[in-house]
């Protein structure tokens, strides 16, 4: 009996060793081959401005489903490159980012920093496992991130998402020289941001789509005026020829029939001026229509929406701890009024910066802070003297005096059907 057990154990060990040897040999062969499939670099940029309040915050689960679909497309590409699902020679990359926005907390940027996958950094035998773990992170952390992004149910509490700043300062660092770079921008399409310092309008070039639309929407020949007047967004003096861009969830207002066409015309001109020739637009719609659009643009097959993890979202209310915490933080950063407000109100207007000014704070995936307002020397002297004198007289605490903030942004836009802009 003992003899039979010994034989069986020997056979089992031999099978196990054979299996291990096969894996080792596969890894060695992949390393020897040296021929890696074309590399893809997917970047997902989120606009977390007041658009996420749309339809009682039901824009949030839509966003999450769209991000999950992009991840599914990324995974489908990987599987096409390596049907073995081992991904030994695949070095693709996916990264989720939040557009610079003053009212977005650091916690949101921290969570976004965990939503990325860089296969090149993993050992070949660990790549499949890394893919599975990243997918779980997306399903778990995305709802948490959006929960912290909802800081209020009032649109005026949100600063605009500064997509222009991302293109100007950070996009270049996120590109991979040896890859096909694809940037997905999830936004309503209006590119409104609060800070106009250093980006003042000039010669029909503006800092947001709304400014252009308001100038042209009442003109029956808006298209001719747009071209002849050289209307558009302020240019970013950089070029990105090795980049594809897909703008998702465009949500034009419905009070003017030409809104969507002008909106996409503005974006198209901006892209072309940066040397971006491959771009497309997808309107906000039900997830199945959006998935179909993604499949056509990326030439992939996505799993049905029933096979993608469903998102259950309970709207955040003003009584939720996260909103209470965010409101408290905003209160702590607001300026405390002084006894003589004329020091602020009658101060001379801030001098505009030059477009290429180096005085902007840098943006990273983890934090964003709004640059301080430029104040003329005369105003500084008067204000410091006033604060010093008042502090001596009344022994006030000057540590709580901060710059004034006044976020303003239009309310969310109504929903529209999906259509396409220029295809790849």
């Amino acid at each position: 009996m003992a003899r039979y057990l010994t034989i069986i154990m020997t056979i089992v060990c031999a099978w196990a060793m054979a299996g291990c040897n096969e894996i080792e040999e596969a890894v060695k062969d992949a390393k020897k081959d040296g021929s890696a499939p074309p590399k893809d670099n997917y970047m997902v940029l989120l606009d977390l401005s007041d658009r996420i309040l749309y339809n009682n915050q039901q824009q949030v689960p839509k966003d999450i489903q769209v991000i999950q679909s992009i991840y599914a497309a990324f995974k489908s590409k990987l599987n096409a490159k390596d049907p073995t699902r081992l991904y030994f020679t695949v070095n693709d990359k996916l990264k989720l980012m939040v557009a610079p926005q003053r009212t977005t907390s650091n916690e949101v940027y921290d969570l976004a920093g965990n939503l990325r996958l860089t296969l090149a950094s993993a050992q070949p035998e660990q790549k499949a496992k890394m893919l599975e773990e990243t997918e779980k992170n997306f399903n778990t952390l995305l709802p948490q991130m959006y929960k912290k992004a909802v800081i209020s149910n009032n649109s005026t509490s949100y600063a605009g998402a500064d997509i222009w700043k991302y293109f100007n300062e950070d996009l270049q660092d996120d590109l991979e020289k040896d890859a096909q770079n694809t940037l997905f921008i999830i936004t309503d399409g209006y590119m409104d941001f609060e800070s106009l310092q250093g980006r003042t309008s000039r010669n029909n070039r503006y800092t947001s789509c709304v400014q252009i639309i308001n100038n042209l929407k009442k003109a029956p020949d808006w298209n001719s005026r747009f071209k002849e007047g050289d209307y558009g967004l302020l240019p970013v003096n950089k070029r990105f020829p090795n980049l594809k861009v897909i703008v998702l969830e465009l949500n034009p207002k419905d009070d003017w029939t030409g809104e969507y066409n002008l909106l996409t015309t503005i974006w198209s001109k901006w892209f072309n001026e940066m040397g971006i020739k491959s771009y497309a637009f997808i309107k906000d719609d039900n997830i199945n229509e959006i998935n179909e659009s993604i499949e056509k643009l990326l030439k992939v097959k996505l799993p049905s929406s029933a096979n993608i993890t469903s998102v259950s979202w309970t709207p955040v209310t003003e009584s939720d701890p996260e909103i209470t915490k965010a409101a408290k933080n905003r209160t702590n950063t607001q300026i405390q009024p002084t006894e003589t407000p004329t020091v602020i109100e009658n101060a001379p207007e801030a001098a505009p910066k030059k477009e290429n000014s180096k005085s902007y704070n840098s943006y990273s995936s983890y934090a964003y802070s709004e640059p301080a307002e430029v104040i003329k020397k005369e105003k500084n002297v008067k204000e410091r003297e006033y604060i010093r004198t008042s502090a001596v007289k009344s022994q006030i605490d000057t540590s709580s005096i901060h710059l004034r903030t006044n976020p303003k942004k239009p309310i969310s836009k109504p929903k529209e059907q999906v259509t396409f802009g220029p295809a790849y």
Side-chain angles (χ1 to χ4, degrees):
M1 184 67 179
R3 180 185 173 193
Y4 288 125
L5 287 174
T6 302
I7 293 173
I8 292 172
M9 290 297 294
T10 302
I11 293 173
V12 170
C13 289
W15 281 345
M17 290 179 65
C20 291
N21 289 335
E22 286 180 4
I23 294 174
E24 290 176 0
E25 287 300 320
V27 173
K28 288 179 181 178
D29 289 342
K31 290 179 177 178
K32 284 180 184 177
D33 186 13
S35 59
K39 182 178 176 181
D40 277 296
N41 176 30
Y42 279 17
M43 301 161 285
V44 184
L45 183 67
L46 303 182
D47 171 355
L48 297 183
S49 61
D50 68 334
R51 61 177 286 277
I52 62 179
L53 301 180
Y54 174 64
N55 195 19
N56 194 26
Q57 299 177 26
Q58 289 310 301
Q59 189 66 48
V60 171
K62 172 73 71 59
D63 277 15
I64 295 175
Q65 287 177 310
V66 170
I67 296 167
Q68 288 175 325
S69 293
I70 293 172
Y71 189 89
F74 176 79
K75 188 175 180 180
S76 178
K77 287 264 190 178
L78 291 181
N79 293 341
K81 293 175 183 180
D82 185 359
T84 68
R85 308 295 194 267
L86 297 176
Y87 314 116
F88 293 145
T89 61
V90 181
N91 293 314
D92 290 8
K93 182 178 179 180
L94 182 145
K95 180 180 181 180
L96 185 138
M97 302 161 293
V98 176
Q101 190 170 320
R102 179 178 52 77
T103 50
T104 298
S105 71
N106 287 340
E107 293 174 292
V108 174
Y109 291 104
D110 289 340
L111 286 169
N114 294 319
L115 297 174
R116 59 186 65 199
L117 173 67
T118 307
L119 288 174
S121 66
Q123 293 297 320
E125 56 271 19
Q126 294 296 319
K127 290 185 177 181
K129 183 179 179 181
M130 178 182 283
L131 189 67
E132 292 178 6
E133 291 175 348
T134 303
E135 188 169 358
K136 291 177 182 177
N137 282 342
F138 268 75
N139 293 337
T140 303
L141 298 182
L142 275 174
Q144 295 179 26
M145 186 185 73
Y146 271 90
K147 204 82 173 177
K148 294 181 181 298
V150 180
I151 60 172
S152 169
N153 283 315
N154 187 342
S155 292
T156 59
S157 299
Y158 295 78
D162 203 340
I163 295 172
W164 191 97
K165 181 182 177 72
Y166 172 76
F167 271 79
N168 187 53
E169 296 183 8
D170 304 290
L171 175 57
Q172 191 67 57
D173 293 334
D174 289 328
L175 301 180
E176 298 285 332
K177 293 181 179 179
D178 59 343
Q180 171 56 65
N181 298 285
T182 304
L183 174 64
F184 302 85
I185 306 175
I186 298 180
T187 178
D188 57 11
Y190 284 84
M191 203 191 293
D192 298 326
F193 42 84
E194 187 179 358
S195 175
L196 306 183
Q197 289 286 346
R199 286 172 277 178
T200 53
S201 60
R202 62 179 184 275
N203 299 328
N204 293 335
R205 291 305 183 105
Y206 297 90
T207 55
S208 76
C209 298
V210 168
Q211 294 167 294
I212 302 169
I213 292 172
N214 288 342
N215 272 279
L216 297 177
K217 66 188 301 182
K218 294 182 180 180
D221 59 339
W222 67 262
N223 200 7
S224 299
R225 290 186 59 186
F226 181 87
K227 294 176 182 177
E228 293 169 3
D230 192 27
Y231 280 85
L233 294 169
L234 284 175
V236 170
N237 296 320
K238 296 179 181 179
R239 296 182 68 80
F240 308 100
N242 183 28
L243 176 65
K244 295 181 179 180
V245 180
I246 301 177
V247 185
L248 301 103
E249 300 192 70
L250 287 172
N251 203 349
K253 298 177 183 178
D254 60 357
D255 58 344
W256 177 51
T257 56
E259 189 100 5
Y260 176 73
N261 289 334
L262 180 50
L263 196 59
T264 55
T265 298
I266 294 168
W267 279 86
S268 298
K269 182 173 183 176
W270 195 54
F271 289 150
N272 286 322
E273 289 178 340
M274 291 185 285
I276 302 170
K277 301 301 181 183
S278 297
Y279 53 87
F281 305 100
I282 302 176
K283 280 187 182 179
D284 193 16
D285 204 336
N286 70 72
I287 190 62
N288 290 323
E289 292 292 335
I290 293 175
N291 284 349
E292 186 177 327
S293 301
I294 292 174
E295 287 180 328
K296 289 179 180 178
L297 290 170
L298 300 180
K299 297 179 174 58
V300 297
K301 182 63 179 175
L302 296 179
S304 66
S305 56
N307 294 327
I308 297 178
T309 304
S310 60
V311 181
S312 177
W313 180 260
T314 303
V316 180
T317 66
E318 297 296 337
S319 61
D320 287 334
E322 289 298 331
I323 280 191
T324 303
K325 178 182 177 182
K328 183 178 180 181
N329 290 339
R330 288 198 306 278
T331 301
N332 290 338
T333 58
Q334 287 176 352
I335 186 170
Q336 302 298 322
T338 62
E339 292 180 7
T340 49
T342 53
V343 174
I344 299 295
E345 300 300 331
N346 295 338
E349 198 171 315
K353 296 179 184 176
K354 293 182 179 179
E355 183 178 349
N356 295 324
S357 170
K358 300 294 184 182
S359 60
Y360 289 112
N361 289 351
S362 61
Y363 155 73
S364 72
S365 298
Y366 300 96
Y368 171 69
S369 58
E370 184 73 10
E373 188 182 56
V374 179
I375 305 175
K376 288 185 177 180
K377 187 179 295 185
E378 181 182 353
K379 174 184 173 182
N380 271 334
V381 172
K382 290 182 178 179
E383 189 167 353
R384 284 200 301 269
E385 180 61 24
Y386 170 76
I387 292 174
R388 186 190 66 79
T389 305
S390 299
V392 171
K393 291 180 178 180
S394 58
Q395 297 183 348
I396 62 171
D397 179 11
T398 61
S399 63
S400 62
I401 297 180
H402 302 281
L403 291 174
R404 183 186 302 275
T405 59
N406 183 25
K408 292 181 180 179
K409 192 171 185 293
I411 60 174
S412 300
K413 276 61 67 178
K415 186 175 179 180
E416 293 276 342
Q417 297 300 311
V418 166
T419 59
F420 288 97
Y424 293 155

